[in-house]
Structures are given as structure tokens and as C-alpha cells.
Amino acid sequence: MMHSTTPSRVSGFLVLTLVLLLSRAPGATAEEKPDFLELQRSLALLVASPVAQQEPNRQAVTKIRDLVEDFQALLEESEPSPDGHTAETVHYLSGLLGEVASGEAGAQSGAVLDDIRRDLELKVQYFRGRMGVAGATRGLVLSTVRTLHQGKPVMGLAIYCNPYRWKDEARPMRTFPEFSSPTTRLIMPGYYRCFAAAGAPAKRIASRDVEIGLGGEDKVTFNIEVPR
């Protein structure tokens, strides 16, 4: 004898199936949120660290503490970036603060603190200057990179852009979506090293340091001069 299935059970089964399918679909996961707790922990460790008690680091750490607080407040007022850029930036900053606090930076602590301050000052200045702009791109700069040799375009190169303290690491934070030249993507304002490579990052052939968003503009174009 066959048992009938009520419409409500069928409907519930279909909804459950749809939810499961969507949860497995690419891009269906929730956007990663910035870990501000991690950021505050790293900042507290830095402020309490022996490094912060050394001269001339005291003043630098105090300035960075204030900038981190300002930057977090500005991020919390903003809509999240469309590709998780905000979460990556907060995680990267937390790691740098922790690196200095632990003494891992060693003799380079002062230089790292200077780079952190420089990068944060640019970010805070940019976000404050665009307070009236709505949307997820308020804190991002549309960045275009051209690869040139003696003024002529060089085509087919991959472009990577790292926060300056990562410099030439093999795992860049931002990879441009297309080969040069030109190629464009949204990037959070800050202090970066961008480089061109013949494919993988390890095959880099030229680089330059840039301060994206320094003038408060929402669009910027810069060139990377490459050898023939």
C-alpha cells in the first residue's frame, strides 16, 4: 500500500535540498568578516611589549595605537569590501603588530613600526576624506597598472601588489585579474610594493613601491618599467 506525501512535507524537502545545494555552490559562503578582536589583542601585546618601552619606539607605538583605533572605527562605519579585502587587511595588520610585539622583527622593529604608521596614516586619511561616499567601494581605490619599456606597452605580464612589509613574498595579497597592459582592480589605500612577473610571482622581472590613495583620489594609474 502506497503512502501519500503531504504538500507541506514535499515543500519542506525541496527547501532543504535547495539550501544544501546552495551551501555547496562556489561563492555561496558568507563573506569573511574582519577579526577586530585579533587586531585589538595584537595591539595590546605591542603596547605592553619591551619594544614599546625602548626609545625612540615609545612615541611611534603611541601614534600607531591611536591610528589603529581610528582605522577600526572607520572600518566599522563602512560597508564590507566586496571581495574580503577588509578582512585580509585587518589580518595582515594584526600579524605585523604581533611580529613587532614578540621581538621577531629584532633590529628591524623601528623600521617596521615606521612602515605600519605610514600605511595607517594613509588609510585613515583616505577613509576620512571619503566619509560622504556610500557603498562598499568607499575605502577602495580603482588602481590601474601599465607595464612599459621605454614608453611602449609590454603585454602579457602578471601583476601583483603586496603590502610593503611583505615586499617580495611569494604569496601576494592582491593579484590583478588580467595580464598587462593595462590591468585594473580595486585596492585598499596603503603603502605597497607592486611587481610584474612572467607568470608566477617567483618569475618577477620588475617592481616599484607605491602609495595608493595618497592624494585622496578614487582612481590611480601607475607604470612599472620593465626590461626588454
Side-chain angles (χ1 to χ4, degrees):
M1 181 177 180
M2 296 183 63
H3 296 281
S4 62
T5 305
T6 63
S8 60
R9 289 182 179 178
V10 172
S11 176
F13 176 77
L14 290 175
V15 169
L16 178 59
T17 302
L18 180 60
V19 168
L20 290 173
L21 288 173
L22 288 174
S23 67
R24 296 174 183 175
T29 57
E31 181 179 345
E32 184 182 0
K33 295 181 179 179
D35 191 344
F36 292 124
L37 181 58
E38 177 193 26
L39 180 60
Q40 287 300 318
R41 285 172 177 166
S42 297
L43 180 61
L45 288 173
L46 174 62
V47 171
S49 70
V51 173
Q53 310 309 316
Q54 302 170 4
E55 294 292 351
N57 293 340
R58 291 182 184 178
Q59 189 173 0
V61 170
T62 299
K63 179 65 174 177
I64 287 171
R65 181 198 63 197
D66 294 342
L67 286 167
V68 169
E69 298 290 352
D70 290 345
F71 184 49
Q72 179 174 334
L74 288 165
L75 288 180
E76 289 175 334
E77 293 174 8
S78 305
E79 295 181 32
S81 60
D83 61 354
H85 203 151
T86 303
E88 288 181 353
T89 300
V90 169
H91 180 67
Y92 160 74
L93 176 58
S94 301
L96 272 185
L97 295 173
E99 177 184 323
V100 180
S102 68
E104 184 180 343
Q108 290 293 312
S109 293
V112 176
L113 288 172
D114 187 57
D115 286 337
I116 294 172
R117 175 195 54 76
R118 180 179 178 181
D119 182 74
L120 280 171
E121 284 178 339
L122 199 161
K123 285 176 165 59
V124 169
Q125 177 184 345
Y126 187 86
F127 269 74
R128 282 178 174 166
R130 294 180 62 77
M131 286 297 291
V133 179
T137 61
R138 188 193 88 178
L140 300 177
V141 181
L142 189 64
S143 304
T144 299
V145 181
R146 300 186 301 178
T147 48
L148 305 176
H149 177 73
Q150 296 182 351
K152 296 182 179 180
V154 177
M155 312 302 288
L157 297 177
I159 305 298
Y160 304 93
C161 210
N162 273 354
Y164 180 75
R165 267 293 145 187
W166 273 2
K167 291 185 178 177
D168 301 322
E169 292 288 331
R171 293 173 54 192
M173 179 181 283
R174 294 287 105 184
T175 304
F176 280 69
E178 299 174 348
F179 291 117
S180 68
S181 173
T183 182
T184 300
R185 75 163 302 141
L186 289 166
I187 294 181
M188 184 171 283
Y191 184 26
Y192 294 89
R193 171 165 293 178
C194 296
F195 56 91
K203 297 181 179 180
R204 73 198 66 189
I205 59 175
S207 66
R208 65 168 292 180
D209 299 339
V210 293
E211 292 179 302
I212 294 176
L214 182 62
E217 66 280 357
D218 61 355
K219 297 179 182 179
V220 64
T221 299
F222 58 91
N223 303 330
I224 298 179
E225 184 69 22
V226 300
R228 182 176 296 276

